[in-house]
Amino acid sequence: MGAKKKTTAATTKAKPAAKKVAMPVAAVAGQPVRMQHVGTHRMGAVQTMTLDEAWEKLAPGFRDVFRLTFQGQEDKMKFPYMDYYTIVYNFCTSVTKENGSNYGVGSGDFAAMSSSTLSPDGPPAKLSGRIAQFVRQHLTDVFQADMQSRCGNDLLTQYCRKWENFRFSAKVVHGFCIYLNEHFLRRKSEFREQEIYPVYGVCLKEWRDGAVAAVQDQVLRAVAEVITADRNGDITSSFMVRTVVDCLVDLGLTLDFSAQGGTPSPHNAKKKEKDPNQGLQVYQKYLEAPFLADTRVYYDNESRVFLANNSVANYVVKVQSRLKEEEDRCMKYLHASTCNKLIKTVEDVMITQQMVRLRAEFMIYLAGEKVEDLKAMYALISRVPQCMDELYNAVQTHIRQKGLEALAKNPTAMTEDPRLYLDAILEVYDQCDPLITESFRGEKEFRTAFDKGFHEFVNDNAITQLAKTSKKSSEQFARYSDVMLKKGAKNLSELDLENTLTRFMIAFKYIDDKDVFQRYYQQCLCRRLISSLSASDDAEASMITKLKAVAGWEYVLKLQRMFQDITLSTEMNNSFKSHDPSRRNDWKFEFHVQVLASGAWPLNPGSMGLQPPVELERPLTVFNEFYTNKFSGRKLTWVYPNSRCEIATNCYKVKHFFMASATQAAIILQFNDRDIITYGEIRDAVSGNMSPPDESLFKQILVLLLKSHLLMINDENEKVDEKDITSNDLEIKLNLNFKPKTVRVNLNQQIRAEQKQNEDTANKGIEDDRTATIQAAIVRTMKMRKEMRHQALIGETLDQLSRLFKPNVAAVKKNIETLIEKEYIKRSEEERDLYTYVA
């Protein structure tokens, strides 16, 4: 409502006041503009006005405002707005002497307000109380009597209309009392630090305590009916519910403000900081709490009925739909603060309370690996974080069980062929990875559960149990990489080999004993490089790069040195060929030497001393001289067990080429001069003085030649064994009728004794390396920390070593004691669990 600005203030019975005041006007819908003083002068005479006199003049205006708005006749409001403002102003600025106390303040000197002026019995408080009494009576006479007979939508319609009319009226009369609001009630609130409402707040308080309290049950019942109908899919009017919500919110928020949309008093502002729900108590008490309770009952019934007649898959879709509907419902007609509470209530009723059914169905989906169903189920249950732990555990168990079942199908074959072993592991990965990436959106916790389950079955399965050691898995991984990187009948293309190695590294990260893999891989790489069996140098380098990315640069240090030695050996052989060619003229064969660093290569010269064949004596001597002259101070040790020879035959119709070890070559070359030689003569020519273990190994090497039918005892078809070689006089014959199927014959097959010796060497090397690694980790930690407690040192050491293997605590304790004996660290005399680093 607008009002024209007066040019003069109301006159008084005394002589005219010299004070001019710019009067406020109601700008829009009764929202007042703050009063400003243009000038202040002492009035010529003081006009007095009692409360009854002031109210007698104000009451007609108040009655007209509320009557016309309740009748919907706001356009007929024609009354002297500024006259009512002036009456309130004059009353507040009047002075009356009673018992020597000033109840009013003249000339606008607000700082001089006495405590009696601001007391509950002061004129401002009395006028505020008279207004409250008027509003209370008006609501009783007009509102309550009309609303008692209404119900349902009719009740809501009338309630909303009357609320809008009442709020408009409250704003208008609030404009009448701007002076009272701004200069007395606010100051009184600040001075007394108590709840003092402006006139607009007084009106709302009476509506809350009168209108709302009188029809609260009927209104809430009507609101609940509208919301239930909306949930059931009926067409409803959300406007009425929204109006009721706004009404209850306004009844809480506006009471603490000087005017609607105004600034809260300092005292009330402090309360706001302490209580984030300040101002929403009315809404929460009358509507939100009953609404949430009704929601719980409604969806509890719906859940039970729906699950009794439908599948869980349909229930999941239903719950998602209901949650979306409730979110939309909050946007349409509920307060924003209710949204989270409402969604949590629905989630609790329809998800948490039904988790037994949902979990059982989740397990069925997981067992069948139904990606889309799991995706929908996850989207639903993930809304309740406290229910997720059971799902993580279920995924971990599923992955582990699936892996164990895959590896238990044929453990013997998988032990013999590492390709079957790795293919089974990677097949499980391919089948289960989509569950994580698609069904569970790659969530970190599910990925962690996947990794744990995969880690468990890779390191403890039917193959490791058959071998009675968890290290078997790492060995199988090394053997698989050897098969992939070694030349063979089914060599892969460069691209396919690179993809195979990439997939291999997916499984590699799950093995515990990476140091065991390192040891076996080093042995396999040694054989490939020495025998030139690598399928691709680029693939070998790529494999080392991938291992470095996973396990660190120290892990591949020796492997890189091995490649470096092969390159240097090639350069050295070229240099040797160009050195003094005259000394090589009488050689009838090609002689190639690989010089390898003893610390990087897993080579063992063996205890059986080999006497090189006469044909090799001169080349060995010449190379020794060449190397000694080139590198003074270095010593060459010939590793005959790893040497190999290619022997061309001239005694058969078809020329054949034998691939043999150095020991086999020493045996075969003795048959250049005669066809029959005794066992003792062969043994003495190869190595003059053998220990019993060495002789047993020599017999196994000889038996390999007998089984190949190149040599024989009596007949080439007879079956021979190590036990058949019983005497030094036993005659061994060259089989002149030897007819192999191929031109090139590989005689260099690994024998059981060598294989057992290599395994023992590898196992011993692993344990020695682990001891050194544990001690290095302890010293490294102590050097950095200087002092550490026992448990802290063990914990940090275990953490450092976890990327290579899982040492037990006993091993760490044992090595701590060893380092104390070696004086790397010492134990404190005062505190026995405290260690100090010794520089």
Side-chain angles (χ1 to χ4, degrees):
M1 181 189 78
K4 294 182 179 180
K5 185 175 181 181
K6 301 289 186 179
T7 56
T8 60
T11 59
T12 63
K13 295 181 181 179
K15 64 181 180 179
K19 180 178 180 180
K20 291 183 179 180
V21 180
M23 294 301 175
V25 296
V28 179
Q31 293 190 9
V33 178
R34 189 180 298 276
M35 183 190 74
Q36 297 179 347
H37 289 281
V38 177
T40 59
H41 299 279
R42 290 192 177 277
M43 300 176 64
V46 179
Q47 179 185 9
T48 61
M49 182 181 295
T50 64
L51 175 63
D52 292 336
E53 291 173 344
W55 183 248
E56 184 179 355
K57 297 177 181 180
L58 291 172
F62 275 67
R63 281 194 295 270
D64 287 343
V65 169
F66 281 93
R67 178 179 57 81
L68 292 173
T69 54
F70 264 65
Q71 294 174 358
Q73 300 177 3
E74 295 88 343
D75 56 333
K76 295 182 179 181
M77 286 185 180
K78 295 179 181 179
F79 47 82
Y81 180 89
M82 290 307 300
D83 289 347
Y84 295 129
Y85 173 86
T86 302
I87 294 170
V88 175
Y89 173 81
N90 288 339
F91 174 74
C92 291
T93 57
S94 66
V95 179
T96 302
K97 295 288 186 177
E98 291 185 13
N99 300 324
S101 300
N102 292 328
Y103 288 95
V105 177
S107 68
D109 188 7
F110 304 117
M113 287 184 181
S114 67
S115 60
S116 59
T117 302
L118 301 177
S119 70
D121 297 327
K126 288 183 177 181
L127 178 58
S128 178
R130 186 64 62 90
I131 294 172
Q133 183 180 355
F134 166 80
V135 173
R136 189 182 311 121
Q137 187 61 43
H138 170 78
L139 290 174
T140 302
D141 297 340
V142 178
F143 177 82
Q144 295 181 18
D146 181 52
M147 298 297 291
Q148 290 295 339
S149 60
R150 300 180 185 275
C151 63
N153 285 338
D154 181 44
L155 173 68
L156 281 182
T157 302
Q158 289 301 316
Y159 182 90
C160 295
R161 186 180 68 81
K162 292 183 183 298
W163 158 249
E164 293 294 342
N165 293 337
F166 178 81
R167 187 170 60 167
F168 180 81
S169 301
K171 289 179 180 179
V172 173
V173 299
H174 180 88
F176 294 167
C177 304
I178 286 180
Y179 194 85
L180 174 67
N181 295 328
E182 297 293 325
H183 302 294
F184 285 88
L185 298 180
R186 174 185 288 185
R187 294 299 302 275
K188 182 175 180 180
S189 176
E190 296 172 4
F191 185 79
R192 293 293 182 184
E193 290 194 356
Q194 57 186 352
E195 294 287 357
I196 303 297
Y197 300 130
V199 171
Y200 182 75
V202 169
C203 295
L204 296 188
K205 180 177 182 297
E206 293 305 321
W207 178 275
R208 181 190 69 188
D209 297 340
V212 174
V215 297
Q216 116 185 22
D217 293 339
Q218 299 96 305
V219 170
L220 292 180
R221 191 180 305 113
V223 169
E225 290 174 357
V226 172
I227 295 175
T228 300
D230 188 22
R231 285 171 172 164
N232 292 335
D234 299 336
I235 298 176
T236 60
S237 173
S238 61
F239 171 77
M240 292 186 295
V241 178
R242 183 77 220 187
T243 301
V244 174
V245 169
D246 291 342
C247 167
L248 297 177
V249 172
D250 287 348
L251 291 178
L253 287 173
T254 315
L255 296 181
D256 297 330
F257 285 68
S258 58
Q260 189 174 21
T263 304
S265 66
H267 172 60
N268 291 331
K270 293 178 182 178
K271 287 187 176 182
K272 282 282 186 180
E273 293 174 2
K274 294 179 181 179
D275 185 3
N277 291 320
Q278 181 75 19
L280 293 175
Q281 292 90 334
V282 177
Y283 166 73
Q284 292 171 347
K285 173 183 177 182
Y286 288 106
L287 192 143
E288 183 183 81
F291 167 71
L292 293 178
D294 291 344
T295 297
R296 182 173 292 277
V297 173
Y298 179 88
Y299 284 116
D300 180 62
N301 292 332
E302 182 177 84
S303 297
R304 287 187 285 101
V305 173
F306 193 91
L307 281 173
N309 298 281
N310 296 272
S311 66
V312 175
N314 291 336
Y315 179 76
V316 170
V317 176
K318 179 70 173 180
V319 176
Q320 293 283 21
S321 174
R322 282 303 197 183
L323 287 168
K324 182 63 172 61
E325 290 174 8
E326 294 302 328
E327 290 174 357
D328 295 340
R329 193 163 288 116
C330 285
M331 297 292 294
K332 282 196 302 183
Y333 49 71
L334 295 174
H335 191 265
S337 65
T338 304
C339 189
N340 286 338
K341 301 175 185 177
L342 174 59
I343 298 303
K344 292 295 182 185
T345 300
V346 178
E347 289 173 347
D348 180 60
V349 174
M350 304 193 78
I351 302 176
T352 305
Q353 294 184 14
Q354 302 298 332
M355 269 306 296
V356 175
R357 289 286 303 275
L358 293 176
R359 191 185 307 113
E361 194 72 11
F362 179 88
M363 298 303 296
I364 295 174
Y365 293 162
L366 188 61
E369 296 181 353
K370 299 179 179 180
V371 175
E372 292 302 320
D373 289 334
L374 285 171
K375 185 177 181 179
M377 183 72 78
Y378 164 72
L380 181 66
I381 300 179
S382 62
R383 303 177 70 102
V384 187
Q386 63 268 26
C387 297
M388 293 299 294
D389 288 342
E390 296 180 4
L391 303 192
Y392 301 147
N393 295 334
V395 170
Q396 179 179 340
T397 302
H398 171 74
I399 300 298
R400 179 176 60 84
Q401 192 61 35
K402 188 176 182 66
L404 292 176
E405 291 174 359
L407 296 180
K409 292 180 179 178
N410 196 348
T412 303
M414 291 181 184
T415 301
E416 295 174 355
D417 188 351
R419 288 174 297 183
L420 297 176
Y421 182 66
L422 263 294
D423 289 346
I425 291 176
L426 292 173
E427 184 179 356
V428 173
Y429 184 91
D430 293 339
Q431 292 175 355
C432 297
D433 187 62
L435 297 179
I436 308 302
T437 56
E438 298 178 25
S439 298
F440 308 129
R441 304 173 190 172
E443 184 186 326
K444 180 181 177 181
E445 286 75 10
F446 276 111
R447 177 59 66 183
T448 300
F450 176 90
D451 290 343
K452 287 181 178 179
F454 217 84
H455 173 271
E456 288 175 359
F457 85 79
V458 165
N459 293 281
D460 185 10
N461 50 59
I463 287 78
T464 61
Q465 293 168 6
L466 188 64
K468 298 181 180 180
T469 173
S470 62
K471 298 176 183 177
K472 187 63 179 179
S473 187
S474 298
E475 180 187 345
Q476 292 294 91
F477 273 68
R479 291 175 57 199
Y480 176 85
S481 64
D482 182 52
V483 172
M484 292 297 103
L485 293 169
K486 187 166 57 177
K487 291 179 182 178
K490 297 181 180 179
N491 284 338
L492 301 174
S493 66
E494 290 284 343
L495 181 59
D496 290 340
L497 182 56
E498 179 65 21
N499 292 336
T500 299
L501 296 180
T502 300
R503 283 174 52 77
F504 169 81
M505 294 307 299
I506 292 175
F508 172 76
K509 67 182 181 180
Y510 293 108
I511 60 175
D512 277 341
D513 300 318
K514 291 184 174 62
D515 59 332
V516 176
F517 171 86
Q518 180 191 37
R519 172 66 65 168
Y520 282 103
Y521 183 85
Q522 188 181 19
Q523 290 182 347
C524 295
L525 178 62
C526 173
R527 288 193 294 270
R528 292 198 300 272
L529 294 180
I530 290 177
S531 304
S532 300
L533 294 177
S534 291
S536 168
D537 290 341
D538 291 338
E540 294 281 7
S542 175
M543 183 65 176
I544 291 178
T545 301
K546 296 179 189 300
L547 291 173
K548 181 179 179 180
V550 174
W553 66 272
E554 290 182 354
Y555 191 79
V556 299
L557 198 59
K558 290 184 179 180
L559 305 180
Q560 291 175 330
R561 178 61 188 274
M562 292 168 69
F563 271 96
Q564 183 181 359
D565 286 348
I566 293 298
T567 302
L568 294 176
S569 293
T570 302
E571 296 174 357
M572 186 177 298
N573 277 280
N574 293 333
S575 176
F576 176 62
K577 289 179 181 179
S578 61
H579 172 73
D580 195 4
S582 62
R583 303 184 66 181
R584 301 169 51 90
N585 292 335
D586 57 340
W587 298 359
K588 297 179 181 180
F589 52 85
E590 185 177 350
F591 181 74
H592 182 83
V593 179
Q594 291 176 327
V595 180
L596 312 174
S598 59
W601 293 75
L603 298 174
N604 184 8
S607 59
M608 182 178 66
L610 176 67
Q611 179 65 39
V614 177
E615 292 86 349
L616 293 177
E617 287 181 353
R618 181 170 176 76
L620 292 174
T621 302
V622 173
F623 187 85
N624 265 320
E625 293 175 359
F626 164 77
Y627 188 81
T628 303
N629 293 332
K630 190 175 181 68
F631 303 101
S632 60
R634 294 188 183 181
K635 180 183 178 182
L636 283 178
T637 301
W638 296 98
V639 186
Y640 293 117
N642 294 93
S643 301
R644 61 191 178 91
C645 300
E646 182 174 311
I647 303 173
T649 65
N650 297 310
C651 57
Y652 303 111
K653 294 180 181 181
V654 178
K655 190 172 185 177
H656 296 283
F657 297 90
F658 297 151
M659 307 287 96
S661 67
T663 305
Q664 288 174 330
I667 296 173
I668 295 172
L669 290 176
Q670 293 183 52
F671 289 90
N672 271 332
D673 300 328
R674 42 188 178 152
D675 298 337
I676 301 175
I677 310 175
T678 64
Y679 166 74
E681 292 173 332
I682 296 175
R683 183 196 60 194
D684 294 341
V686 172
S687 179
N689 188 12
M690 289 186 185
S691 64
D694 292 337
E695 186 168 2
S696 175
L697 175 61
F698 178 76
K699 287 182 179 181
Q700 292 185 41
I701 296 173
L702 181 59
V703 167
L704 279 179
L705 297 176
L706 293 170
K707 288 183 177 181
S708 68
H709 305 304
L710 175 62
L711 303 179
M712 60 182 183
I713 298 177
N714 296 312
D715 183 83
E716 63 175 319
N717 295 322
E718 67 179 335
K719 294 182 179 181
V720 296
D721 194 79
E722 182 183 344
K723 297 178 181 179
D724 296 328
I725 304 175
T726 57
S727 170
N728 291 336
D729 298 329
L730 179 67
E731 293 183 344
I732 308 296
K733 304 174 185 177
L734 176 66
N735 183 9
L736 297 176
N737 297 319
F738 182 59
K739 295 179 181 180
K741 296 179 180 179
T742 59
V743 174
R744 302 179 65 87
V745 181
N746 183 17
L747 301 175
N748 189 16
Q749 302 295 328
Q750 192 174 29
I751 60 178
R752 294 191 306 273
E754 286 182 337
Q755 185 176 357
K756 181 66 167 59
Q757 184 179 12
N758 289 338
E759 290 179 356
D760 293 343
T761 302
N763 291 331
K764 185 178 185 303
I766 291 169
E767 295 304 322
D768 292 343
D769 288 347
R770 285 189 173 184
T771 298
T773 303
I774 293 173
Q775 292 182 6
I778 295 171
V779 172
R780 186 165 51 247
T781 302
M782 289 301 301
K783 185 176 182 180
M784 179 176 61
R785 299 295 181 85
K786 305 304 180 185
E787 281 190 354
M788 284 194 77
R789 296 285 180 183
H790 178 75
Q791 291 299 331
L793 178 58
I794 290 179
E796 187 155 343
T797 301
L798 293 175
D799 185 61
Q800 285 189 35
L801 298 174
S802 60
R803 66 183 182 86
L804 281 179
F805 60 95
K806 285 188 175 181
N808 54 51
V809 176
V812 177
K813 290 180 178 180
K814 179 180 178 180
N815 282 281
I816 289 176
E817 296 299 328
T818 301
L819 291 173
I820 292 176
E821 293 175 3
K822 294 180 178 180
E823 297 184 352
Y824 282 95
I825 60 177
K826 66 178 182 179
R827 182 181 281 111
S828 172
E829 295 294 337
E830 292 78 15
E831 301 179 75
R832 302 299 293 172
D833 68 332
L834 180 65
Y835 301 111
T836 305
Y837 175 70
V838 180

